[in-house]
Amino acid sequence: MTPANTKSDDKLVRKFDWLPYLTGILTVLILFAFLLYPISKSVIYSFIKSGETIDFANFTLYNFERFFISIAYQKAFMHSMVVSLAATFFSTLLALPAAFAISRISMPFRNVLLSLSVIPLISPPFIGAYAWITLFGKSGIITHYLQTWFGIEMPIIYGPTGIILALSLSYYPYVLLIVQGSLAAADPYIEESALVMGAPRWRIMRTITFPLVIPSIAAGAIIVFIKALGNFGVPAILGGEYYVLPTMIYFQVHGFFNLNGASAIAMVNVLLTLLAILLMSHVNKGRGHVTVTGSTRRAVQINGLGAWIFANTYCWGLLLIALTPHIMVFYSSFAVRWIGTLFPTEFGFDNYFRILSEVQAPFTNSIILASSATVICVVFGTLTAYTSVRRRFFGKWALDLTIMLPFVLPGIVTGVAFLTTFNSGWIILSGTSTILILAYCVRRIAYIFRTVSAALGQVDNKLEEASAICGATWGRTMRKITLPLVSPGIIAGGILVFATLISEMSVTIMLYSARWKTMSIAIYEYVIADELLDASAMGSIAIVATLLLVFLSSKIIGKSMAEMFR
């Protein structure tokens, strides 16, 4: 080998950048340690009796047999199916007319309406759940007036009625935003051609508009079903003796510390989630329609007076009803004296002064945990998104699926998986802040992954190639070119993660300890202790903080709040 060739080979060796490969290896290791391994161990635990060691000889279906021999398990399963399916049905029923009205009927302030519709999504449902008790409880405000003025006896708010009501009004925006986005993006010439041919509007809706948006309806409905199936806060507050799978998991852990039984219930929850996703795939199979074409014109708007009255009355009325519990939370937070009367007799800021002086620890803990998890999500999510978008490798689909898996699974399932994994063995994290931070990261990394992936998709990789040609390393290219260009997406995703973690409930309820009690747990304890005024004050702070942070995130990336949740 000549000296010239040797020098050329040395130059290639020096230029070979190992950093992307080290990042990829680190990504795989972290995903395995804190995603795949906990879920796999939870699956194994579900086939082992409580108190027995993990051994092939100890594998049994005993924990799953409880669903066939225990009335409590059977009722919890049926209750979960009833409230989840009912919430999905009513959410879809409420959302479809609103989505059509916003997309097809000329009405003012539609962007404001869509942005306000996000509030029920970003505000944890359990915060507003106890407001329904104030309104529709035995001595509730609306209950009183309905009985006094019209003689109407309202059904008991505790049980399936309250749960379905709260979940439907909290989750209908998922269907609304997805279907409205699909209708807004559809090719207007399809419907206009049918209109020109003389077809009446009802037939156009039935034969063209509705079939075209069935995939979007199915997607929104499945999201509602999964969210309702894994919701713990609302059934815990409004359920009474009406237990569902998430509350059964909670009792198995906090009542008996039966991680094996809790894992089995969690696996049933996961199975129902997967069946729902498969059902959606089956519904959408063969329904591939090209509805977004080169046309940038919006569909012709209906301008009739009747349509205008219907659209505004229905959409704003629905939004007002959905926001009623949040309004009641704010109203109750200023009530100083409210004993034995229909309305408060004295107002002030006493509740805020009291909680800020007496419960500083939950506020501090929530900020510390959410901030720590957000930083980790930003770093790891950005690297993972870059690896997925900019690198070609075998199994890329598996990386995307693994990142999104915890986002699809109910939060309480993730909590059980982490508890079974890190409660014993080489690494014991139960009761510490670390287990909460890691669980938060696993649950929210998808937000960073998706926002950064979208931002990277808009950046031409020729800029990075030009940097590499000029001799810059991968790390320098990332620091000087890529990161500055995608920084708005990173910042917005980080703010969104932090905002949704401040009042996170489903994972926290399984993993918190007395030392690391958060705002959501403090609110839940106030409600259980029937200290609703203090709970309202703390809930108001959580709602305002979350809303402001999400609004800030939307401004940074230049999207409306509605577009961020589509």
Side-chain angles (χ1 to χ4, degrees):
M1 182 179 293
T2 64
N5 288 336
T6 303
K7 186 178 293 186
S8 177
D9 291 341
D10 291 342
K11 187 175 181 180
L12 288 174
V13 171
R14 286 196 305 269
K15 281 193 172 183
F16 187 79
D17 199 346
W18 288 96
L19 191 54
Y21 297 92
L22 293 176
T23 303
I25 294 172
L26 180 63
T27 299
V28 172
L29 291 176
I30 292 177
L31 289 177
F32 176 80
F34 300 114
L35 266 178
L36 300 179
Y37 178 61
I39 293 175
S40 300
K41 192 168 184 180
S42 185
V43 172
I44 295 173
Y45 260 60
S46 67
F47 291 98
I48 304 292
K49 277 187 178 182
S50 179
E52 295 186 353
T53 58
I54 298 179
D55 189 277
F56 185 77
N58 293 331
F59 271 49
T60 177
L61 295 176
Y62 172 79
N63 295 316
F64 294 97
E65 291 173 357
R66 303 289 294 171
F67 284 94
F68 298 96
I69 62 177
S70 172
I71 296 178
Y73 274 62
Q74 293 173 3
K75 285 186 175 180
F77 178 83
M78 290 304 300
H79 292 168
S80 286
M81 293 300 298
V82 168
V83 298
S84 299
L85 290 173
T88 302
F89 172 77
F90 286 111
S91 294
T92 305
L93 189 66
L94 292 171
L96 291 183
F100 180 84
I102 295 172
S103 302
R104 294 291 189 268
I105 299 176
S106 179
M107 56 184 299
F109 308 113
R110 70 178 75 208
N111 291 331
V112 175
L113 178 63
L114 286 172
S115 296
L116 291 177
S117 298
V118 174
I119 295 178
L121 298 182
I122 62 179
S123 301
F126 78 93
I127 290 181
Y130 57 84
W132 292 113
I133 301 173
T134 306
L135 294 170
F136 290 103
K138 188 175 181 180
S139 301
I141 297 173
I142 296 180
T143 302
H144 170 80
Y145 283 113
L146 288 177
Q147 290 176 344
T148 304
W149 292 353
F150 307 104
I152 299 176
E153 291 287 338
M154 292 295 295
I156 300 174
I157 193 66
Y158 294 102
T161 303
I163 297 173
I164 294 170
L165 174 67
L167 292 178
S168 298
L169 291 174
S170 293
Y171 291 147
Y172 87 88
Y174 281 118
V175 183
L176 168 64
L177 296 176
I178 293 174
V179 175
Q180 189 275 331
S182 178
L183 286 171
D187 185 358
Y189 292 112
I190 301 176
E191 297 177 22
E192 290 173 10
S193 298
L195 195 62
V196 170
M197 297 296 293
R201 289 194 181 274
W202 283 108
R203 185 175 183 182
I204 294 174
M205 288 177 58
R206 180 173 55 85
T207 59
I208 297 178
T209 308
F210 182 73
L212 286 177
V213 297
I214 281 181
S216 299
I217 295 173
I222 291 302
I223 292 176
V224 173
F225 179 81
I226 293 173
K227 291 286 186 180
L229 186 66
N231 189 284
F232 168 80
V234 172
I237 293 172
L238 295 176
E241 298 296 324
Y242 194 86
Y243 300 123
V244 294
L245 292 179
T247 52
M248 287 292 290
I249 293 174
Y250 175 81
F251 291 138
Q252 286 294 322
V253 173
H254 288 271
F256 308 102
F257 203 70
N258 181 6
L259 297 181
N260 304 75
S263 297
I265 301 173
M267 289 306 105
V268 172
N269 208 314
V270 171
L271 179 62
L272 293 174
T273 301
L274 295 178
L275 288 176
I277 295 174
L278 290 176
L279 177 62
M280 182 184 70
S281 300
H282 177 72
V283 170
N284 291 342
K285 188 177 181 180
R287 291 187 178 272
H289 304 291
V290 177
T291 61
V292 181
T293 63
S295 174
T296 59
R297 183 172 60 82
R298 176 185 290 178
V300 175
Q301 301 290 287
I302 302 173
N303 293 305
L305 179 61
W308 186 89
I309 293 174
F310 163 76
N312 284 277
T313 302
Y314 182 82
C315 294
W316 288 104
L318 177 60
L319 178 62
L320 178 62
I321 295 173
L323 295 181
T324 296
H326 304 87
I327 296 171
M328 280 302 303
V329 168
F330 283 105
Y331 177 77
S332 302
S333 68
F334 294 102
V336 176
R337 187 178 298 276
W338 196 352
I339 302 175
T341 58
L342 193 60
F343 294 100
T345 56
E346 185 180 348
F347 293 91
F349 293 91
D350 298 36
N351 299 322
Y352 289 96
F353 293 146
R354 183 166 54 255
I355 64 170
L356 290 176
S357 62
E358 295 180 359
V359 288
Q360 292 182 358
F363 285 102
T364 305
N365 290 342
S366 293
I367 292 174
I368 292 174
L369 295 172
S371 300
S372 302
T374 300
V375 171
I376 297 174
C377 280
V378 166
V379 174
F380 181 60
T382 301
L383 292 176
T384 308
Y386 182 88
T387 303
S388 176
V389 174
R390 288 290 193 257
R391 293 290 182 264
R392 295 181 179 180
F393 55 91
F394 177 76
K396 182 177 178 179
W397 63 270
L399 176 64
D400 293 357
L401 178 63
T402 306
I403 289 289
M404 296 303 296
L405 183 62
F407 183 75
V408 174
L409 295 179
I412 201 165
V413 173
T414 305
V416 171
F418 268 73
L419 199 57
T420 55
T421 303
F422 300 112
N423 185 63
S424 60
W426 292 352
I427 304 177
I428 299 177
L429 300 176
S430 57
T432 67
S433 61
T434 305
I435 193 171
L436 282 166
I437 292 171
L438 292 175
Y440 286 173
C441 290
V442 166
R443 286 283 294 164
R444 294 293 186 266
I445 192 174
Y447 286 6
I448 299 292
F449 181 79
R450 286 306 180 197
T451 55
V452 176
S453 295
L456 282 170
Q458 297 176 344
V459 176
D460 193 344
N461 60 2
K462 290 183 174 60
L463 297 172
E464 298 168 22
E465 293 173 359
S467 175
I469 291 173
C470 292
T473 62
W474 178 81
R476 183 175 177 84
T477 301
M478 279 285 290
R479 189 174 70 255
K480 294 292 186 179
I481 296 177
T482 310
L483 287 179
L485 291 174
V486 301
S487 58
I490 296 174
I491 295 172
I495 294 174
L496 190 61
V497 169
F498 182 82
T500 56
L501 287 178
I502 287 179
S503 52
E504 205 287 329
M505 180 67 168
S506 57
V507 171
T508 310
I509 196 67
M510 301 302 300
L511 301 176
Y512 85 98
S513 61
R515 167 65 183 84
W516 290 101
K517 183 189 299 184
T518 63
M519 286 177 61
S520 59
I521 300 301
I523 295 172
Y524 177 69
E525 291 180 347
Y526 275 134
V527 174
I528 296 300
D530 203 28
E531 298 178 9
L532 298 183
L533 302 184
D534 291 336
S536 297
M538 188 172 288
S540 298
I541 294 174
I543 292 173
V544 170
T546 304
L547 183 59
L548 290 176
L549 288 169
V550 173
F551 178 77
L552 176 61
S553 178
S554 69
K555 290 301 179 183
I556 290 176
I557 61 176
K559 291 184 178 180
S560 68
M561 291 194 295
E563 291 175 325
M564 294 179 64
F565 285 85
R566 284 198 179 117

